[in-house]
Structures are given as structure tokens and as C-alpha cells.
């Protein structure tokens, strides 16, 4: 594969990549470009000479190694393993592809990211792997380490796959560098990233409370939860009102995203760049309104309304507190009934319900979401001799899950089983939310897309009690029923024009690539210090100046040119 001009190499993989590049350069110098071209031609010839049956199955077996993202939500059923499971057997049967696990690591913590960084540094990439880090994807593409999937997608993709490319054009554009497709993107419509306030229904009932509509009411409810006896165990003050986790600005449960949105700050991790009402390029976390939001959190922390140990609580640790019944309320994402509140429902039979974020007088609330051009990317190594195999598996997944029988859907998608396939249509089911609302209005699933009909059945089954104990039904109901999270976006956030999409697509300024890690740490550290009282609220002004001087201002200037105002 012809390498493009190399971009900046990420600091955490620079040493390993440098070694790889040196060895590669030495080999190129000694063998010459003709031999390199001959090797590429030989690989292409090998692909072309591998016979397949009429249905696309390889006549001789081929092997594909892949990186497994494990997580608390992952489920291995019926004695399946990551090496031998329903998907590996189906792929072997239908395509004659033997799957091999290159490595596995937890993606709900930093374990997968760290392992992948080490693998990248070594230069020994799996044949197929994923990343949610746009910077990693961009640098791998620019450094010639990813297979160009442009032609193999056009040649091997089914009409259904090609239709996804048309429907999610922004996502595929984000997976394209210099006109070449280097990944299968998460097929995004990022409205579903909006935050909500999740509240235990039993605690509302036990305290005689109503869901809060304002930030002031939210704080008052948190006080009831933290100082009273909302869990009914006879002990006052052994619970917390509002949960935070240590990664304050991440789209996790226990983030501050929903609270800051009430003050007109469309926050979202380290990537939320946008133009303000005057057309000026700006960044969420340096908005002056942040001082008001942080002051609310600092006061709540001082009064014991927030879990005091949040500075050491990652999402997994926070979920333990939620499951054990210590937390009454948290800002979080739309999938709460899938995880972690499914744990509360299974353990105690209690529903933790999503509500629209409470607002603050004097501010127009703003919800920050990512650009549709970014999201999880599934990549193929440039060294893999059969990149077309990735498209074949993707097509098999699509046909099996989205266009086959209900039995196949339940076997290969439900209960997180789709994660066992090295490639899948990572299209969030949330894109069907509006269609499902219309279907329930007319009382029929007729006319729904094949992949949406099981979602309809799950919601109907949960509501009539026939699927009351089904994880998939509970998860879908909490997301896409009329009382679920996503109708709040469709029926409130969007009509209120509250959604702000980041302008930051796949192209990133050099300054930002260089400084994003340190700016991210600076932000979380400053906000943590203010909330815990280690620094006064006015320290926010110093933080803003530090952020601007540490590459932030230059990033804004470069983005102003890279993404000109329309």
C-alpha cells in the first residue's frame, strides 16, 4: 500500500512507531521501491487468486486476527468463549474464515486503549481492530498502517451496506482520509448523545417528591436523598443525592454534562468546539457560565450531597454504588436502562427513570454532541492480505441480524451477542426512535425497518408484562418508549433548538493533537479542585488563562481556518 505523507505521531506511540519506521526505511533502502511494488502486487494477486464459491465463501480457509473489546456489558452465553462462539462458528460455516483473538482488554476502562497503544508502538497490528480515538485513527491512516477499503467496499459490499453509506454520509466521510476509506465507521446520528437526569423512582416516592424542573429543585431533591432516609432502611444520611465520577467531563454516568448544559454550556469531553452566537470559534469548558455551574457543585459537595469519594471513582466503581443502592440521582446518557440501571432493576425491581435536564433561570440550555463524522472506527491492518474478508463479514452480520429471522436476531444480536463478531453494523438502534414513536401511535409495527421491529416488540412486551424480566426489553423500553430518554431529545431538546454539534470532524489542528492530552488533564484537575474546595471558584479564571496559553488559543485560531464559518 502506498503511504501518504506522514502526519504527527501520537506521543504515547512515538517511540515504538519510530522504531518501526526506521526498520521500514532501512528495508526500503536496501530492497528498492520496485521490490516494494512487487510485494504489493503479489499481495493483490494473492487476494485475487483465492477462489470463492458462488456465495462468496472461501474454498480454502483463511485466518483473521482481531482485537476484542470486553466490558461489563459483554455476555458470553451457552459456554461460548471469545475464541469459540456463535459468531466465530457462523463465520467459519458461511465464509470459511478462522477467527483468532489477537488480544482482549476491557474497553469500559483504559485497559483496551492502553493495550492498543502498546500494540501500535510494536507495529504488530491485529488484522481487524477498533478505536474510539479519532486521533489514533487519523495518525494510523496518515502513516500508511491501515488498509485502503475504498475499492473492496465498492466491490464486495451488498446493496444494503451501500445504503448505509448513503444514509450515514457524514460518518463515512469521517472514516475517509484524502479521498480513501480507511475504516468502517460507527454509523452515527449523534442526537442520542444528549444527557439526562436519571432518578430512582422509589426514592422519589419515599420522599414524596416530584422530578425536578430546575437546578434549584435538583439541589433540594439531592438534599432530601442525602440527609433523609430515601431507601427506607431506618438510617438517615447514609446515601448520596447526586453521583459524580472522577472523569467529570466524559459521557459516562455521573458526568457534569447535564448540569453545565443548564447554564448554556454545551459540554462534552475535550472535543466540544463550536461557534458562539457571534460566530466566534470557542470551546465549551472555557465559557464564563462554567463558574456558576461549578459553584453549584462545590456547594453540593461541601454539604455532603455528592459522593465524597468521587475523585477515586471510575465508572465501574460508581456502578457498584449505584447497584448497591447508595445513589439516588445522576446525570447520564440515554442507555441507562441497558447499563447500569438494569442492575438496579434486576436486584431490587426498581426503575431508575430518565428525565429532561433541570434548567436554570436566565440561561438557554445547550446540549453538546459530537460531530457525526467521528465515532468508533473499525480498521483493517495494511498488512492483512484479505481486506475484502472484513466486508464479507460485515455483510454476513447485516443479513443475519437485520434481514433474517427473529430467531437469528435474538441469537446473534440480543444480550450483547453482536460484540462477538469482529465487525458489525455499529449503527445505534436509537436512530429508529422517531419511527418507533409513530408506530406506537398507530399501534402497529407495520412499515418499520426490519431491525426496528424487534425493538417495537421489546417495548410492547415490557409494557404488557410479558417481557418484564428481559434485559433487552427493559433496555429498549427505557430508551425508546414514549416515556424513555430519546423522546425527550426528539420532543424537547430538538424543538427547543438546544442541540449544539461540535465542529471538530476527523481533521484536527496540529496544535490540538500535540496538546489535547495535557489540556484534558488540566480541565479535569481544575474542575475537581474547585468542586472539592481545594481551589476557590474564582480559580476558574486562572484555569481559562492556562488553557489558552497551553495551546488552547492556537487551537481555536487553527480551527477558525480549518472549519471556516458558513
Amino acid at each position: 500500500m502506498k503511504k501518504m505523507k506522514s502526519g504527527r505521531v501520537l506521543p504515547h506511540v512515538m517511540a515504538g512507531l519510530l522504531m518501526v519506521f526506521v526498520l521500514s526505511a532501512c528495508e526500503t533502502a536496501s530492497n528498492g521501491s520496485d521490490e516494494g511494488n512487487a510485494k504489493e502486487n503479489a499481495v493483490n494477486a494473492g487476494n485475487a487468486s483465492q477462489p470463492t464459491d458462488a456465495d462468496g465463501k472461501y474454498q480454502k480457509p483463511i485466518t483473521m486476527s482481531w482485537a476484542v473489546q470486553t466490558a461489563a456489558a459483554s455476555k458470553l452465553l451457552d459456554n461460548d468463549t471469545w475464541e469459540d462462539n456463535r459468531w466465530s462458528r457462523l463465520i467459519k460455516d458461511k465464509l470459511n474464515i478462522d477467527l483468532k483473538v489477537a488480544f482482549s482488554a476491557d474497553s469500559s476502562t483504559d485497559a483496551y486503549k492502553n493495550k492498543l497503544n502498546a500494540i501500535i508502538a510494536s507495529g504488530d497490528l491485529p488484522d481487524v481492530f477498533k478505536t474510539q480515538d479519532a486521533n489514533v485513527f487519523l495518525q494510523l491512516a496518515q502513516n500508511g498502517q491501515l488498509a485502503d477499503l475504498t475499492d473492496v467496499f465498492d466491490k464486495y459490499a451488498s446493496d444494503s451496506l451501500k445504503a448505509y453509506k448513503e444514509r450515514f454520509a457524514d460518518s463515512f466521510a469521517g472514516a475517509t482520509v484524502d479521498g480513501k476509506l480507511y475504516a468502517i465507521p460507527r454509523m452515527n446520528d449523534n442526537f442520542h448523545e444528549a444527557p439526562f437526569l436519571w432518578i430512582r423512582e422509589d426514592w422519589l416516592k419515599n420522599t414524596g417528591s416530584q422530578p425536578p424542573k430546575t437546578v434549584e429543585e435538583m439541589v433540594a431533591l439531592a438534599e432530601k436523598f442525602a440527609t433523609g432516609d430515601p431507601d427506607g432502611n431506618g438510617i438517615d444520611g447514609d446515601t448520596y443525592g447526586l453521583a459524580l465520577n472522577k472523569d467529570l467531563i466524559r459521557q459516562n454516568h455521573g458526568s457534569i454534562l447535564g448540569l453545565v448544559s443548564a447554564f448554556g454550556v454545551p459540554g462534552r469531553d475535550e472535543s466540544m468546539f463550536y461557534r458562539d452566537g457571534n460566530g466566534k470559534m470557542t470551546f465549551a469548558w472555557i465559557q464564563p457560565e462554567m463558574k456558576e455551574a461549578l459553584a453549584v457543585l462545590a456547594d453540593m459537595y461541601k454539604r455532603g450531597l455528592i459522593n465524597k469519594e468521587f475523585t477515586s471513582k471510575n465508572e465501574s466503581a460508581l456502578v457498584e454504588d449505584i447497584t448497591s443502592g447508595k445513589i439516588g440521582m445522576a446525570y447520564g446518557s440515554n442507555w441507562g436502562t441497558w447499563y447500569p440501571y438494569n442492575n438496579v432493576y434486576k436486584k431490587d425491581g426498581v426503575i431508575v427513570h430518565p428525565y429532561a435536564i433541570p434548567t436554570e433561570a436566565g440561561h438557554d440550555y445547550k446540549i453538546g454532541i459530537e460531530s457525526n463524522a467521528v465515532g468508533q472506527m473499525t480498521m483493517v491492518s495494511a498488512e492483512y492480505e484479505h481486506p475484502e474478508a472484513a466486508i464479507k463479514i460485515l455483510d454476513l452480520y447485516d443479513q443475519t441480524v437485520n434481514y433474517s429471522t427473529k430467531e437469528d436476531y435474538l441469537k446473534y444480536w440480543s444480550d450483547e451477542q453482536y460484540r462477538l463478531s469482529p465487525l458489525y453494523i455499529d449503527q445505534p438502534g436509537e436512530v429508529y426512535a422517531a419511527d418507533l414513536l409513530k408506530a406506537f401511535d398507530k399501534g402497529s409495527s407495520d412499515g418499520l425497518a426490519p431491525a426496528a421491529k424487534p425493538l417495537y416488540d421489546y417495548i410492547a412486551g415490557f409494557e404488557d408484562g410479558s417481557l418484564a424480566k428481559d434485559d433487552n426489553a427493559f433496555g429498549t423500553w427505557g430508551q425508546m418508549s414514549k416515556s424513555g430518554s430519546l423522546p425527550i431529545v426528539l420532543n424537547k431538546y430538538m424543538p427547543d433548538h438546544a442541540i449544539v454539534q461540535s465542529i471538530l470532524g476527523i481533521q484536527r489542528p496540529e496544535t490540538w493533537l500535540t496538546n489535547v492530552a495535557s489540556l484534558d488533564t488540566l480541565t479535569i484537575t481544575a474542575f475537581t479542585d474547585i468542586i472539592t474546595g481545594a481551589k476557590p471558584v474564582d480559580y476558574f479564571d486562572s484555569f481559562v488563562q492556562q488553557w489558552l496559553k497551553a495551546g488552547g488559543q492556537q487551537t481555536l485560531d487553527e480551527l477558525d481556518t480549518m472549519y471556516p464559518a458558513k
Side-chain angles (χ1 to χ4, degrees), residues 204-472:
L204 278 177
K205 181 179 178 180
N206 292 346
T207 58
S209 303
Q210 294 296 317
K213 298 292 182 63
T214 67
V215 171
E216 183 179 11
E217 290 176 358
M218 182 276 292
V219 174
L221 182 60
E223 184 171 20
K224 284 185 180 181
F225 286 172
T227 61
D229 183 25
D231 58 356
N233 69 348
I235 303 173
D236 290 344
D238 66 340
T239 50
Y240 286 109
L242 182 72
L244 292 182
N245 77 52
K246 68 183 185 67
D247 299 318
L248 295 167
I249 62 176
R250 303 277 183 263
Q251 192 199 8
N252 293 335
H253 296 285
S255 75
I256 64 172
L257 302 187
L259 178 65
V260 302
S261 292
F263 292 86
V265 179
R268 181 179 168 78
D269 57 50
E270 74 283 358
S271 65
M272 196 61 211
F273 294 91
Y274 60 102
R275 291 188 180 276
D276 63 19
N278 297 317
K280 182 180 178 181
M281 186 68 69
T282 190
F283 180 64
W285 301 125
I286 62 172
Q287 302 307 305
E289 292 81 6
M290 277 299 302
K291 287 181 72 171
E292 297 176 72
L294 291 170
V296 169
L297 291 168
D299 178 65
M300 292 180 72
Y301 182 88
K302 183 179 180 180
R303 293 162 57 190
L305 311 186
I306 292 172
N307 48 321
K308 290 287 188 180
E309 304 82 11
F310 86 84
T311 56
S312 62
K313 298 276 186 182
N314 59 21
E315 182 162 338
S316 295
L318 179 61
V319 166
E320 292 181 13
D321 288 344
I322 290 172
T323 304
S324 64
K326 294 298 182 184
I327 303 292
M329 187 164 48
Y331 289 96
S333 302
N334 77 81
W335 57 79
T337 47
W338 287 98
Y339 181 79
Y341 301 121
N342 60 323
N343 295 333
V344 178
Y345 181 67
K346 285 189 290 187
K347 178 176 176 287
D348 300 324
V350 170
I351 290 175
V352 183
H353 202 279
Y355 295 94
I357 61 167
T359 56
E360 177 71 8
H363 296 279
D364 293 328
Y365 74 98
K366 296 298 179 184
I367 304 291
I369 66 173
E370 280 185 305
S371 165
N372 287 336
V374 299
Q376 180 164 273
M377 301 289 182
T378 304
M379 302 154 287
V380 179
S381 169
E383 301 298 320
Y384 187 43
E385 294 186 359
H386 296 285
E388 78 287 346
I391 310 304
K392 288 175 179 283
I393 290 177
L394 196 65
D395 183 52
L396 175 63
Y397 174 91
D398 187 38
Q399 295 304 312
T400 302
V401 170
N402 295 328
Y403 294 98
S404 188
T405 65
K406 182 177 181 179
E407 289 71 26
D408 278 344
Y409 180 88
L410 294 174
K411 179 177 180 179
Y412 292 103
W413 184 88
S414 297
D415 297 311
E416 306 290 331
Q417 297 308 287
Y418 67 89
R419 295 176 184 269
L420 300 176
S421 177
L423 292 104
Y424 47 82
I425 307 296
D426 198 11
Q427 170 185 321
E430 300 94 292
V431 299
Y432 296 117
D435 298 333
L436 286 164
L437 289 177
K438 293 176 183 177
F440 276 104
D441 282 340
K442 69 179 184 180
S444 171
S445 62
D446 292 346
L448 284 174
K453 288 185 177 181
L455 305 177
Y456 180 97
D457 292 340
Y458 281 137
I459 295 170
F462 185 81
E463 291 183 341
D464 68 21
S466 61
L467 295 175
K469 295 184 178 181
D470 187 291
D471 278 0
N472 298 295

Side-chain angles (χ1 to χ4, degrees), residues 9-230:
V9 181
L10 296 175
H12 52 264
V13 298
M14 183 179 293
L17 289 178
L18 181 60
M19 183 177 294
V20 173
F21 295 152
V22 169
L23 294 174
S24 176
C26 293
E27 183 178 352
T28 301
S30 61
N31 294 341
S33 60
D34 290 341
E35 183 173 333
N37 292 333
K39 181 179 179 181
E40 182 174 353
N41 292 336
V43 168
N44 292 334
N47 292 342
S49 64
Q50 170 61 286
T52 59
D53 295 337
D55 59 0
K57 181 178 182 178
Y58 293 103
Q59 292 183 6
K60 295 182 179 180
I62 68 167
T63 300
M64 173 187 288
S65 65
W66 68 297
V68 173
Q69 292 181 323
T70 64
S74 302
K75 294 181 181 179
L76 292 167
L77 306 176
D78 303 326
N79 296 316
D80 279 353
T81 66
W82 288 107
E83 292 76 17
D84 181 15
N85 56 68
R86 60 197 62 194
W87 273 107
S88 66
R89 293 187 291 270
L90 180 70
I91 290 168
K92 175 64 175 178
D93 178 57
K94 297 293 186 181
L95 298 173
N96 206 12
I97 299 173
D98 293 313
L99 296 181
K100 176 184 177 183
V101 174
F103 72 87
S104 62
D106 190 344
S107 60
S108 62
T109 67
D110 287 336
Y112 178 86
K113 180 178 69 174
N114 294 339
K115 181 67 174 178
L116 181 60
N117 287 341
I119 294 293
I120 291 172
S122 75
D124 187 21
L125 294 175
D127 297 329
V128 173
F129 59 104
K130 301 177 187 290
T131 185
Q132 289 185 307
D133 190 328
N135 307 325
V136 170
F137 163 70
L138 184 61
Q139 297 307 316
L140 288 173
Q142 291 177 331
N143 290 325
Q145 293 173 273
L146 302 181
D148 177 0
L149 301 177
T150 312
D151 292 339
V152 292
F153 187 90
D154 290 343
K155 180 177 180 179
Y156 292 96
S158 64
D159 289 342
S160 176
L161 294 186
K162 290 176 180 176
Y164 293 131
K165 187 177 180 182
E166 293 297 319
R167 180 178 181 183
F168 301 101
D170 286 351
S171 299
F172 276 86
T176 302
V177 180
D178 293 341
K180 297 180 179 180
L181 182 68
Y182 284 105
I184 301 300
R186 177 171 173 82
M187 298 172 192
N188 289 335
D189 190 346
N190 280 331
F191 75 89
H192 65 270
E193 292 181 346
F196 309 88
L197 182 62
W198 293 80
I199 309 175
R200 285 184 64 120
E201 293 290 85
D202 60 334
W203 287 21
L204 278 177
K205 181 179 178 180
N206 292 346
T207 58
S209 303
Q210 294 296 317
K213 298 292 182 63
T214 67
V215 171
E216 183 179 11
E217 290 176 358
M218 182 276 292
V219 174
L221 182 60
E223 184 171 20
K224 284 185 180 181
F225 286 172
T227 61
D229 183 25

